[in-house]
Amino acid sequence: MYEEVSFLTLDLVKRIADEYDWPEAYHLEDEAPDGVCMVFPKSNFMFMDGMNGDVEVGFLPQDTNFDRPLTLLQAMLVFLPLSERTGPLYRFKNATPFQTLENTEIGVRNACDLMSTHLREVILGDFSWVAKYPEAEASLRK
């Protein structure tokens, strides 16, 4: 059985996250083998290896108080609905559908772009968007 190698490390997330202007100080926690948690005073973002070489970012249940795990992409349905998007969500695109160092760097950078641009209130602890998520999710089914 083939096992993909993870390139998602605390050092990689720190190197890329340090390029961004955050509204609060953060620290990183190594949650291997699950990923790396970016911890702000009132919010947490869990960076994890995703499918096909992607990086996924999830919210911790204690932050959202939602009945199931939520991800950055689900939050973007509230903050930047599909009907309002004029281009791709991510600035950078993976070169291959495999877990590579380059794809992991791209995934972390894309997540940091979205978080620092659209989720500044969430970083500061405002999770009011979670109540709006079910309606945004339902709009996908129409």
Side-chain angles (χ1 to χ4, degrees):
M1 179 176 183
Y2 175 74
E3 227 179 280
E4 288 193 14
V5 174
S6 177
F7 296 94
L8 186 62
T9 64
L10 191 136
D11 290 337
L12 182 141
V13 175
K14 178 162 180 33
R15 178 172 51 83
I16 293 172
D18 281 351
E19 297 172 8
Y20 291 84
D21 177 36
W22 302 103
E24 290 275 7
Y26 71 89
H27 71 273
L28 300 175
E29 295 179 358
D30 190 345
E31 300 290 338
D34 297 326
V36 174
C37 192
M38 186 176 204
V39 179
F40 292 96
K42 296 182 180 176
S43 61
N44 301 277
F45 296 83
M46 185 70 172
F47 288 75
M48 304 164 284
D49 288 315
M51 299 291 292
N52 301 320
D54 290 332
V55 170
E56 293 181 7
V57 176
F59 297 96
L60 298 185
Q62 61 264 31
D63 288 340
T64 64
N65 292 313
F66 199 63
D67 62 352
R68 63 184 188 273
L70 292 172
T71 67
L72 176 60
L73 290 180
Q74 289 168 314
M76 293 313 298
L77 290 174
V78 174
F79 287 96
L80 193 58
L82 293 173
S83 61
E84 295 178 17
R85 296 183 192 172
T86 57
L89 188 58
Y90 295 133
R91 270 198 315 155
F92 307 101
K93 185 162 176 51
N94 286 356
T96 67
F98 304 107
Q99 208 69 42
T100 65
L101 176 59
E102 180 184 16
N103 282 352
T104 301
E105 289 172 338
I106 288 169
V108 171
R109 187 161 277 111
N110 282 333
C112 288
D113 276 353
L114 292 176
M115 291 163 55
S116 67
T117 302
H118 300 286
L119 301 183
R120 295 182 81 76
E121 298 86 13
V122 178
I123 291 168
L124 296 170
D126 180 359
F127 283 87
S128 61
W129 69 271
V130 175
K132 300 172 191 168
Y133 174 70
E135 183 179 328
E137 180 183 42
S139 73
L140 292 176
R141 297 186 192 126
K142 294 180 183 178

